[in-house]
Amino acid sequence: MDNVITRKGRPEDARDFSQLVLSTASTLLPYFFGPDVGNVVQRLFEHTRNWFSFEHSYFVEVNGEIAGMALISDYTEKKREDLRTCLLALKYLKWGILRRLAYSLKSQHVIRKVIELTYLLRSEHIMVRTTEGECYLRNIALRCNFRGLGFATRLLGVVEEESRKAGSKRIVLDVGTDNKAAIKLYKRFGYSIEQKLPSLRIKDKNLEVFRMSKDIRGIRQSAGENRT
């Protein structure tokens, strides 16, 4: 019989986290973080007090193998961590080159890139505007061989229960309008579409996203959950 547990993330999960989050954000995150996106995401995960921190993650393991993860943070955490996330991202994108180029003509180009990244990180598409009492489900991902086996439902149940216990009333999330499977899952789990966000142009493609939400007041943990 499979041994299945869900647990909070740990810094040593960084590599698995990076692989999983990039499997569901293969266009957006590379656009923001560039070709070294995998390393940047790992480094952010290992730190505390940022959007991608292990503190905000939950993992499901099957027989000791990581099958999937979810990343979520509440309104207070997101508001407190906005600036730190931008600064850490800039640090690991190696834009310390600014110091070496301070008197170079190229420095103006680098400064423009820093300003552009900071703006993008704080844009509507990556920094959801939440209100007090809300949590934002930033990502949920499963390895291919564990999909369709109920682990996404398990993760959703865990993050909703933990969010409710922390005092949140609603969970909000964004999902691509073309991701029919994910939309179907969320609807089955009680989420509804609130609006379609303005499209984001990435290279030659428009990123179209639905904002979905669910009232989680009154939710209780399902019987038989095994969490550590």
Side-chain angles (χ1 to χ4, degrees), residues 168-182:
S168 294
K169 299 175 182 178
R170 290 194 342 137
I171 289 182
V172 295
L173 60 89
D174 292 338
V175 59
T177 57
D178 59 350
N179 192 344
K180 306 301 183 185

Side-chain angles (χ1 to χ4, degrees), residues 11-22:
E12 55 266 32
D13 297 319
R15 185 174 181 181
D16 289 291
F17 172 79
S18 178
Q19 292 171 349
L20 284 163
V21 77
L22 287 174

Side-chain angles (χ1 to χ4, degrees), residues 66-86:
I66 289 178
M69 68 85 200
L71 184 68
I72 191 165
S73 54
D74 66 27
Y75 168 77
T76 302
E77 291 167 334
K78 285 179 75 281
K79 186 176 180 180
R80 184 176 62 233
E81 295 169 355
D82 287 351
L83 179 59
R84 178 172 166 81
T85 302
C86 292

Side-chain angles (χ1 to χ4, degrees), residues 173-179 182-183 186 193 208-212:
L173 60 89
D174 292 338
V175 59
T177 57
D178 59 350
N179 192 344
I183 293 170
Y186 293 134
I193 295 174
E208 306 283 350
V209 174
F210 286 135
R211 174 78 36 88
M212 302 185 72

Side-chain angles (χ1 to χ4, degrees), residues 16 57 80-81 99 107 110 131 136 161 171 204 215 223:
D16 289 291
S57 67
R80 184 176 62 233
E81 295 169 355
R99 293 191 299 272
S107 64
V110 179
T131 58
Y136 178 50
E161 171 65 11
I171 289 182
D204 60 346
D215 189 320

Side-chain angles (χ1 to χ4, degrees), residues 33-177:
F33 296 140
D36 199 30
V37 57
N39 179 60
V40 174
V41 170
Q42 285 189 52
R43 293 300 187 94
L44 290 172
F45 181 83
E46 292 168 346
H47 277 277
T48 59
R49 296 180 289 116
N50 74 88
W51 302 338
F52 301 96
S53 173
F54 67 91
E55 298 174 303
H56 305 316
S57 67
Y58 292 88
F59 285 78
V60 59
E61 289 186 3
V62 181
N63 299 326
E65 180 182 357
I66 289 178
M69 68 85 200
L71 184 68
I72 191 165
S73 54
D74 66 27
Y75 168 77
T76 302
E77 291 167 334
K78 285 179 75 281
K79 186 176 180 180
R80 184 176 62 233
E81 295 169 355
D82 287 351
L83 179 59
R84 178 172 166 81
T85 302
C86 292
L87 293 176
L88 281 173
L90 292 173
K91 173 183 177 180
Y92 290 117
L93 281 166
K94 296 183 173 63
W95 274 330
I97 193 173
L98 278 170
R99 293 191 299 272
R100 298 195 298 274
L101 296 178
Y103 301 102
S104 164
L105 292 176
K106 294 181 180 179
S107 64
Q108 293 184 4
H109 170 70
V110 179
I111 291 171
R112 283 198 301 272
K113 294 300 290 183
V114 171
I115 294 172
E116 179 186 47
L117 178 69
T118 304
Y119 170 76
L120 289 171
L121 284 173
R122 293 181 63 83
S123 73
E124 178 71 10
H125 291 275
I126 195 164
M127 191 186 76
V128 157
R129 302 297 192 265
T130 55
T131 58
E132 192 168 356
E134 290 183 337
C135 269
Y136 178 50
L137 179 60
R138 191 171 294 281
N139 193 281
I140 186 167
L142 293 172
R143 296 199 185 280
C144 293
N145 53 317
F146 291 106
R147 293 175 184 170
L149 300 175
F151 297 122
T153 297
R154 186 184 184 96
L155 279 168
L156 281 171
V158 169
V159 298
E160 288 182 1
E161 171 65 11
E162 294 300 318
S163 298
R164 185 194 63 78
K165 288 196 298 185
S168 294
K169 299 175 182 178
R170 290 194 342 137
I171 289 182
V172 295
L173 60 89
D174 292 338
V175 59
T177 57

